[in-house]
Amino acid sequence: MTTEQLRTIEEVSAYLQVPVKTLYDWRGKGYGPEGKRIGKYVRYKAELVIAWFDALDDESS
């Protein structure tokens, strides 16, 4: 995942290998990578998705 473009929820789903519904559920619970609503769409900054994923190691320590 490169960091120069915004990512769709489908792209983040594929990157994290979780269903799109899981990402929507996580958003409702305040968990997961930060996404921004743009009209009716959700977009993610790739660097925030990667940072969130990397931070999971810190939580398990």
Side-chain angles (χ1 to χ4, degrees):
M1 179 177 281
T2 60
T3 59
E4 62 273 354
Q5 294 181 337
L6 295 175
R7 300 296 173 195
T8 66
I9 199 162
E10 292 81 11
E11 291 171 320
V12 174
S13 168
Y15 175 75
L16 295 175
Q17 298 179 4
V18 299
V20 169
K21 184 182 180 321
T22 298
L23 288 174
Y24 281 117
D25 290 344
W26 285 353
R27 279 181 53 79
K29 296 175 182 175
Y31 181 73
E34 180 186 354
K36 302 265 185 184
R37 184 162 290 284
I38 302 171
K40 65 180 185 175
Y41 304 102
V42 177
R43 295 292 182 259
Y44 295 84
K45 286 185 175 181
E47 61 267 17
L48 294 180
V49 174
I50 294 166
W52 175 82
F53 179 78
D54 289 344
L56 292 176
D57 292 339
D58 297 339
E59 292 175 9
S60 65
S61 302

